[in-house]
Amino acid sequence: AIAKDLEQRIRKAEVDQHAAETEVVEIKAETAAIVEAKNAEVANRLAELEASPDSWPAHIRLKLETTEATVEALKGEVLELQASASNTSTAHCEELANLQKEIGMKESERVH
């Protein structure tokens, strides 16, 4: 009688375990479907926002405008620095050429 009782309890536990495993699989499938749907919602909303910057929150638009203005200002500074470097390089080349002429003239004076 005890063995039969244990066998029945084991079978019931196995059935319960199988039911629980099935429920876990179902819950995982439902969760995956919910996550997929939410991801699709997010992707659609992102596409809407990208298509229409006017609908962006004001602080994001302001940050974007500020960043774009900063980028333009930095581009201007880079151009100024490049021009300055070019002018400085040209001036140094001219100075070097003048010094070389001077050295050449002094050397020729020594020879004479």
Side-chain angles (χ1 to χ4, degrees):
I2 295 175
K4 208 171 203 180
D5 184 47
L6 283 175
E7 281 180 25
Q8 286 178 341
R9 289 165 98 186
I10 289 171
R11 275 191 234 125
K12 184 179 180 336
E14 287 172 345
V15 168
D16 290 347
Q17 179 183 355
H18 180 71
E21 288 171 351
T22 302
E23 191 175 350
V24 166
V25 169
E26 290 171 357
I27 290 170
K28 284 182 177 180
E30 288 174 21
T31 303
I34 291 169
V35 167
E36 193 174 315
K38 288 294 179 188
N39 284 341
E41 277 181 44
V42 168
N44 289 338
R45 182 68 180 130
L46 185 58
E48 289 172 13
L49 287 172
E50 287 175 346
S52 177
D54 295 339
S55 67
W56 294 0
H59 70 282
I60 292 177
R61 279 184 280 145
L62 179 62
K63 189 170 188 172
L64 178 62
E65 290 167 7
T66 303
T67 303
E68 287 173 342
T70 301
V71 167
E72 289 305 313
L74 289 172
K75 283 181 183 177
E77 283 183 40
V78 166
L79 291 175
E80 288 175 19
L81 289 170
Q82 286 173 336
S84 174
S86 177
N87 291 340
T88 301
S89 177
T90 301
H92 283 139
C93 287
E94 290 172 0
E95 190 177 333
L96 182 59
N98 289 337
L99 286 172
Q100 286 173 334
K101 280 183 194 174
E102 222 176 286
I103 290 169
M105 289 176 15
K106 290 192 179 192
E107 284 179 349
S108 68
E109 285 177 8
R110 262 200 248 153
V111 173
H112 289 62

